[in-house]
Amino acid sequence: MYTSITNKGVSIKNKMIENYYILNQIVQSIDTGIVIIYNKTLLHINNEMRRIAKRTYKEIESDFVGIIAPAFRISVLKSYISIIKGYTDKEEIYFDIVLPTGEPKSVKCRITRIKIFESNGVFATVHEEFSEVKRDSKMPLTLGLWRKYRAEYEHVLSKDHDFIIFVDPYFKIKNVNRNVKDFLGYDRKSFLNKPLEDVCEITPKEDYMEVVCGFQKNSSSNLIVKDLQLELKTKSSERKQFKVSLFAVKFRHYLRGYCFIFKTMPPIEKPQLSTDDLAANISHEFRSPLNAIIGFSNIIADENISNYERNRYLGFIRQSCASLLNIINDFSDFNKLNHDKIILHKDSFNINTLFEQLEAYCSIYKKEYSKPDIQVISVLQQPEEEVIVNCDRQRVFQIMLNLLNNAFKYTEKGIIKYQYIIENGFLVLKVSDSGIGISKENLSKIFNRMTQLDVKNVEKGSGLGLTISKRLVELMGGVISVNSEVGVGTEFLVKIPIGKSPVKKINERITEKNQGYDFSNKTIIIAEDAQVNYILLEKILEKTHVKILWAKNGKECIDLFLLNKNISLILMDIQMPEMDGFEATKKILEIDSSIPIIAQTAFSYSEEKKRILSLGCIDYVSKPIEKNILLKKMANILIPSKKE
């Protein structure tokens, strides 16, 4: 020992040097690990310490801190500083060291402050822990502790838990019980020594990581409990919801690991209708607009009616068609929500432009409900600027239309007001009216499916508008609320998160000239099996002077394309007999990958639209086709200067 001190440049008395051999033999023969540190330098370790650490003197000297397990280094450092500063003369601590094989070994260490030439040093004795900890360390980490000290945590555990996972201080899995295979499909070997998030996908991962980081920072409590809800992806890619309880397992003041207790959550109840109820509602809601369409169409066919009557009845037919389309859209969205088929698409858009479009729809609602005297007020927070927000534009527009439609339905006279406010990272939408109001007993029911107020002389609808709006708002992470007073009116308030503050630009909007499109000298193919739909497209394109070739199925479309070398564009219907639009598009693009194809689709699922674009279609139009949208899309292709 004294030789070591001499090597460090420390001068000692000759009398002590004479006793070197005797003292060194005594120290080396002690069955306790001995460590001496002076001025932050390792002066000496004995044979027993080298045996405990399973390292040579040089290995320990070169990286003394490295043999202490990372999870315990801070606590050991605190004890060392406490001794050196003189806050205490002695201290006893427990910690793990890391063997060369990577396995942990539990040790007990007594630290004593000593004086070496008027400076403080540290004399430490180190023992292997031969008590319960040593026996437990032979088993998978924390499992032995779990069995031995289970009673201490009994009040934390749910007796009907599904499975349990144990992890070490670094959140690597050390043990799982057998039940895990029943719920996730993985065997135990798939889990061992891997982080949980590497084995099965965790959602939301932010919540999980917040808990993990919180545990790692908190070392003051012997028992830390936290509950959260997680969705795990099973081996068969199925997703399951779990309630998870976590607690830290500590023994003798130091951390041994963590315990995860998983309990399957019951599936979230989704508003569903029985097949009979759904069919009955569809039949009932379709009947009124179809009756008007068929009835007035027969009257118009009579040559003896005046032009005034004919135009009036055509207006009724258009209104009934709009009502029919709204009902179809409502049932379609309701079905998609029930089957988790709604996919949100965030994009940046000008909220002021959206409100301008809502103004046009308000004019339509006035005519549809025959309420020309209702005053409609639109309030824009930044009317002279472009206020760019980031969320799903289509769904925001749909929610506002549903709320406005509801306001017109139940307001006979007075005011309907709609507005937006941007505050604290939220887009706040308000729709208020001076209508009949809603009673307290009905207020809690209005978001339920198929719920409508029983009001005389009020046109019924699908009864799904508010239900769909609520579900869409919640999907976007927002909330919707309603305040109402009978005879005074109703106000709906929607808050949707939009993240960062919106981008505001000086308004440079240019009014688009309403001019016709000229596609002269262009030839297109319309692939459409239904003659009535072809006639409609032919009529829409009549004034563009485009040359049209008609294919009644996918096979005819390919034949026409091969026979005509000057095709500029193909309007491809997806659902056709003999060969559908998907297959026809694929074969045509194999022949000529440069030919632009616009798909016509009645599909409303985003997955189908993605499939259409992935095939190579340049764009798509949804049925029922809107004339202006179709013409703009065609102009972008046939007249490049028209691109927007």
Side-chain angles (χ1 to χ4, degrees):
M1 178 176 70
Y2 297 109
T3 300
S4 298
I5 296 174
T6 303
N7 290 339
K8 299 299 179 182
V10 179
S11 177
I12 63 173
K13 296 180 180 180
N14 293 332
K15 193 172 183 178
M16 296 176 69
I17 296 176
E18 292 173 2
N19 295 319
Y20 159 68
Y21 290 107
I22 298 173
L23 292 172
N24 188 57
Q25 287 177 16
I26 293 171
V27 171
Q28 295 297 351
S29 64
I30 293 174
D31 61 355
T32 297
I34 293 177
V35 178
I36 299 176
I37 299 173
Y38 176 68
N39 281 343
K40 300 181 182 179
T41 302
L42 179 66
L43 293 183
H44 184 79
I45 59 171
N46 68 347
N47 290 334
E48 178 64 11
M49 188 63 222
R50 292 196 286 269
R51 187 195 67 78
I52 291 172
K54 293 187 177 180
R55 288 174 172 85
T56 65
Y57 181 88
K58 287 185 178 180
E59 288 173 337
I60 297 176
E61 185 182 35
S62 63
D63 187 16
F64 178 66
V65 176
I67 72 171
I68 302 172
F72 301 96
R73 288 173 187 170
I74 293 177
S75 61
V76 172
L77 178 61
K78 286 179 180 178
S79 297
Y80 173 79
I81 293 173
S82 179
I83 291 290
I84 289 294
K85 296 289 186 182
Y87 301 142
T88 181
D89 291 333
K90 297 179 181 180
E91 191 160 325
E92 182 174 285
I93 58 174
Y94 293 84
F95 60 91
D96 284 356
I97 63 173
V98 181
L99 300 179
T101 60
E103 296 178 4
K105 176 184 279 191
S106 301
V107 297
K108 179 175 70 175
C109 180
R110 289 189 179 92
I111 305 175
T112 305
R113 181 163 43 96
I114 58 174
K115 285 282 186 179
I116 302 179
F117 296 108
E118 305 304 323
S119 296
N120 288 334
V122 170
F123 181 85
T125 60
V126 181
H127 303 264
E128 284 188 278
E129 185 54 56
F130 285 96
S131 60
E132 296 89 351
V133 177
K134 183 174 181 182
R135 290 197 296 272
D136 291 340
S137 66
K138 293 180 180 179
M139 307 175 68
L141 194 63
T142 75
L143 182 57
L145 288 173
W146 163 255
R147 289 173 178 169
K148 188 169 184 62
Y149 304 105
R150 184 183 311 183
E152 183 178 350
Y153 308 111
E154 193 66 36
H155 65 286
V156 180
L157 300 178
S158 168
K159 292 182 180 179
D160 58 346
H161 58 262
D162 291 331
F163 60 92
I164 299 173
I165 296 177
F166 297 97
V167 299
D168 66 12
Y170 321 110
F171 279 80
K172 286 190 177 180
I173 298 170
K174 291 299 178 182
N175 209 335
V176 296
N177 65 349
R178 295 178 181 177
N179 296 352
V180 73
K181 188 169 184 180
D182 298 335
F183 294 95
L184 297 182
Y186 298 92
D187 351 89
R188 293 178 66 256
K189 290 182 180 178
S190 304
F191 282 93
L192 296 182
N193 295 313
K194 297 177 183 176
L196 181 59
E197 62 268 27
D198 287 358
V199 181
C200 49
E201 184 180 332
I202 299 175
T203 307
K205 195 166 184 178
E206 296 78 13
D207 292 352
Y208 172 74
M209 294 308 299
E210 182 182 348
V211 171
V212 169
C213 294
F215 276 165
Q216 290 176 331
K217 290 177 182 177
N218 189 342
S219 59
S220 61
S221 172
N222 288 337
L223 180 65
I224 312 171
V225 180
K226 178 75 177 180
D227 289 336
L228 71 157
Q229 294 179 8
L230 295 176
E231 183 179 76
L232 299 187
K233 191 175 182 181
T234 67
K235 194 171 184 179
S236 59
S237 297
E238 180 187 358
R239 293 185 178 273
K240 288 186 178 181
Q241 294 278 345
F242 292 92
K243 180 180 179 182
V244 187
S245 297
L246 298 89
F247 65 87
V249 178
K250 296 191 173 187
F251 180 62
R252 300 215 177 169
H253 308 293
Y254 66 89
L255 182 70
R256 292 304 304 271
Y258 303 95
C259 179
F260 288 66
I261 304 128
F262 290 83
K263 173 64 182 173
T264 307
M265 292 181 63
I268 299 173
E269 184 181 353
K270 297 177 181 178
Q272 294 182 341
L273 293 173
S274 70
T275 305
D276 291 341
D277 287 340
L278 192 60
N281 276 284
I282 292 175
S283 175
H284 174 75
E285 300 303 334
F286 279 12
R287 198 172 297 276
S288 294
L290 281 175
N291 183 60
I293 293 168
I294 295 169
F296 285 117
S297 296
N298 290 331
I299 293 173
I300 288 174
D302 187 351
E303 297 179 358
N304 295 323
I305 64 172
S306 65
N307 287 334
Y308 169 78
E309 288 177 307
R310 181 174 281 104
N311 290 333
R312 185 181 176 214
Y313 298 150
L314 280 172
F316 292 152
I317 291 173
R318 280 194 292 269
Q319 289 176 18
S320 298
C321 288
S323 297
L324 189 61
L325 184 58
N326 286 336
I327 292 167
I328 292 171
N329 288 337
D330 281 350
F331 278 106
S332 174
D333 282 338
F334 182 70
N335 182 59
K336 285 187 284 183
L337 284 165
N338 271 343
H339 294 87
D340 296 325
K341 292 291 186 179
I342 291 285
I343 297 177
L344 300 178
H345 298 280
K346 278 192 174 183
D347 55 357
S348 298
F349 62 93
N350 183 2
I351 190 68
N352 287 341
T353 302
L354 184 143
F355 266 58
E356 287 178 3
Q357 294 172 345
L358 290 174
E359 186 178 345
Y361 274 84
C362 286
S363 300
I364 295 172
Y365 288 146
K366 274 188 177 185
K367 294 179 181 178
E368 183 177 347
Y369 292 109
S370 301
K371 297 177 180 179
D373 298 329
I374 290 179
Q375 183 182 1
V376 181
I377 300 174
S378 173
V379 180
L380 309 181
Q381 187 180 26
Q382 307 286 344
E384 300 303 322
E385 296 177 342
E386 287 189 352
V387 181
I388 310 300
V389 297
N390 188 262
C391 56
D392 193 317
R393 184 192 188 284
Q394 177 187 347
R395 298 306 174 185
V396 170
F397 191 67
Q398 182 179 358
I399 290 163
M400 288 297 290
L401 284 182
N402 284 339
L403 297 180
L404 286 168
N405 184 41
N406 194 74
F408 274 97
K409 190 183 296 184
Y410 294 105
T411 304
E412 290 301 320
K413 58 182 179 180
I415 297 173
I416 292 176
K417 180 180 177 181
Y418 61 101
Q419 64 185 111
Y420 76 85
I421 300 171
I422 308 292
E423 59 179 15
N424 301 323
F426 283 88
L427 171 62
V428 182
L429 304 166
K430 295 181 182 179
V431 176
S432 58
D433 62 64
S434 58
I436 61 174
I438 307 169
S439 64
K440 289 183 179 179
E441 56 268 24
N442 285 328
L443 204 58
S444 60
K445 303 176 184 176
I446 60 169
F447 292 115
N448 296 343
R449 60 184 184 272
M450 299 300 175
T451 298
Q452 294 182 325
L453 300 181
D454 189 12
V455 181
K456 292 182 179 179
N457 301 321
V458 172
E459 182 178 338
K460 303 296 181 182
S462 67
L464 294 174
L466 292 181
T467 304
I468 291 168
S469 297
K470 184 175 187 294
R471 295 281 299 281
L472 289 174
V473 170
E474 290 172 348
L475 273 178
M476 289 190 282
V479 292
I480 183 170
S481 58
V482 57
N483 291 309
S484 187
E485 186 177 341
V486 175
V488 177
T490 304
E491 180 183 81
F492 286 90
L493 187 143
V494 175
K495 291 184 72 174
I496 298 171
I498 55 173
K500 297 179 181 179
S501 299
V503 180
K504 299 175 183 176
K505 299 179 181 178
I506 295 181
N507 194 343
E508 297 178 349
R509 281 172 286 177
I510 301 173
T511 304
E512 193 175 292
K513 293 182 179 179
N514 184 16
Q515 58 183 10
Y517 294 96
D518 187 0
F519 303 147
S520 298
N521 303 319
K522 303 290 183 182
T523 302
I524 68 169
I525 297 175
I526 295 179
E528 174 62 68
D529 61 311
Q531 186 177 14
V532 64
N533 290 338
Y534 168 72
I535 293 172
L536 174 63
L537 288 170
E538 189 180 38
K539 190 66 179 176
I540 288 173
L541 299 173
E542 184 178 40
K543 294 182 179 179
T544 66
H545 309 295
V546 67
K547 182 180 178 182
I548 300 173
L549 303 176
W550 180 23
K552 299 179 181 64
N553 55 56
K555 189 175 181 303
E556 282 190 19
C557 183
I558 295 172
D559 293 340
L560 283 174
F561 180 70
L562 291 172
L563 291 172
N564 296 271
K565 301 298 182 183
N566 59 341
I567 301 298
S568 302
L569 174 68
I570 299 175
L571 292 180
M572 180 73 74
D573 186 30
I574 295 300
Q575 292 280 62
M576 291 185 294
E578 196 165 343
M579 181 186 290
D580 64 21
F582 288 121
E583 189 176 351
T585 297
K586 184 179 178 181
K587 291 183 180 296
I588 288 172
L589 291 177
E590 286 175 357
I591 298 168
D592 183 357
S593 60
S594 65
I595 185 69
I597 300 175
I598 297 178
Q600 310 170 60
T601 175
F603 292 124
S604 54
Y605 293 144
S606 298
E607 291 83 354
E608 294 293 348
K609 292 175 180 177
K610 285 181 181 178
R611 184 185 174 193
I612 287 168
L613 295 177
S614 67
L615 276 175
C617 292
I618 198 167
D619 209 338
Y620 63 84
V621 288
S622 299
K623 294 181 179 180
I625 292 172
E626 292 188 30
K627 175 181 176 181
N628 291 334
I629 291 177
L630 175 63
L631 291 174
K632 281 183 181 180
K633 288 179 182 288
M634 291 180 63
N636 287 341
I637 297 166
L638 300 178
I639 311 175
S641 61
K642 288 282 184 182
K643 283 190 177 182
E644 298 177 354

